[in-house]
Amino acid sequence: AQSVTQLGSHVSVSEGALVLLRCNYSSSVPPYLFWYVQYPNQGLQLLLKYTSAATLVKGINGFEAEFKKSETSFHLTKPSAHMSDAAEYFCAVTTYSSASKIIFGSGTRLSIRP
Amino acid sequence: NAGVTQTPKFQVLKTGQSMTLQCAQDMNHNSMYWYRQDPGMGLRLIYYSASEGTTDKGEVPNGYNVSRLNKREFSLRLESAAPSQTSVYFCASSDLTGGGYTFGSGTRLTVV
């Protein structure tokens, strides 16, 4: 079975600072990994995905994530935070053998300080 | 560019009442899903349908039933609502494994 752990339910950074949201996964087979963003009162939007190609994945809005098998991690980063990045972020995992069910982490709320 | 459409957006039920949440997608996706979202718990899978004509239980199926009416539509029914079912419900669809999901905008359900 797969699982995902997001470290930190709330992260606060200053505008212009580095954003780092942490995600560790557990999977007995090669995983597919995702980051989703949820703005207030909206559904989830796919930011980026890792599906066994390049380990550094670039997504929308300047975000990227690096798959590190040795650390079982898939942390999300952005070099310079914008006020519009304030939202909740979810890391998620699936595998080819799980009939495309995706398991979500509990989420990290990102706040941006002016 | 509708994507995944959920109705209704808001609903208040009394304990014991029943209702059906509707979901439709126009992307010709094979798979559809129902999740519930509760504070601090992320999204938990209730039921899913890998393809038209099939449905399977997810992590938290108790108190719910589903119907995959056709390729486009996947409904979630609460037969006898309980306060523990107060939540935000999201429908999603996907095509290929590893492709990620497209989510609807959610239904906020309150059971009093």
Side-chain angles (χ1 to χ4, degrees):
Chain A
Q2 311 92 41
S3 66
V4 169
T5 302
Q6 291 185 241
L7 303 176
S9 60
H10 183 210
V11 171
S12 179
V13 303
S14 298
E15 190 173 19
L18 172 71
V19 174
L20 171 60
L21 304 183
R22 300 177 186 274
C23 172
N24 288 90
Y25 71 91
S26 173
S27 178
S28 57
V29 297
Y32 296 160
L33 295 159
F34 308 85
W35 275 100
Y36 284 84
V37 60
Q38 184 181 32
Y39 299 102
N41 299 315
Q42 295 187 25
L44 278 71
Q45 179 183 2
L46 182 65
L47 266 181
L48 49 81
K49 61 184 179 183
Y50 166 77
T51 56
S52 74
T55 56
L56 182 63
V57 182
K58 294 186 184 297
I60 61 172
N61 301 338
F63 284 93
E64 63 182 35
E66 186 172 10
F67 172 69
K68 292 187 176 180
K69 184 178 179 180
S70 61
E71 298 177 9
T72 61
S73 68
F74 191 58
H75 302 330
L76 181 71
T77 61
K78 182 174 181 178
S80 177
H82 295 162
M83 296 300 293
S84 60
D85 294 327
E88 186 139 22
Y89 293 79
F90 293 92
C91 183
V93 64
T94 188
T95 67
Y96 186 79
S97 64
S98 61
S100 73
K101 289 184 293 182
I102 293 182
I103 306 300
F104 286 86
S106 57
T108 297
R109 183 163 61 90
L110 176 65
S111 300
I112 312 296
R113 301 187 300 272
Chain B
N1 59 344
V4 177
T5 303
Q6 290 183 236
T7 56
K9 293 189 182 304
F10 301 93
Q11 184 71 48
V12 178
L13 289 179
K14 293 182 179 180
T15 298
Q17 286 185 319
S18 63
M19 80 162 295
T20 299
L21 281 63
Q22 307 287 353
C23 175
Q25 53 93 6
D26 62 3
M27 296 169 288
N28 202 36
H29 284 168
N30 290 317
S31 303
M32 297 185 73
Y33 312 82
W34 278 104
Y35 284 87
R36 59 178 289 173
Q37 182 179 27
D38 302 291
M41 302 189 74
L43 279 81
R44 293 181 292 170
L45 182 63
I46 304 171
Y47 271 94
Y48 69 103
S49 172
S51 61
E52 186 178 357
T54 69
T55 60
D56 285 287
K57 295 179 180 179
E59 182 184 357
V60 289
N62 292 343
Y64 306 95
N65 285 300
V66 291
S67 296
R68 183 75 183 266
L69 305 172
N70 48 54
K71 191 172 186 178
R72 291 186 62 250
E73 299 173 287
F74 188 41
S75 62
L76 178 71
R77 183 162 178 83
L78 286 69
E79 292 291 351
S80 179
S84 61
Q85 294 178 306
T86 294
S87 188
V88 181
Y89 292 85
F90 287 100
C91 178
S93 70
S94 72
D95 193 354
L96 299 174
T97 298
Y101 291 179
T102 299
F103 281 86
S105 57
T107 295
R108 188 172 298 272
L109 175 67
T110 302
V111 183
V112 298

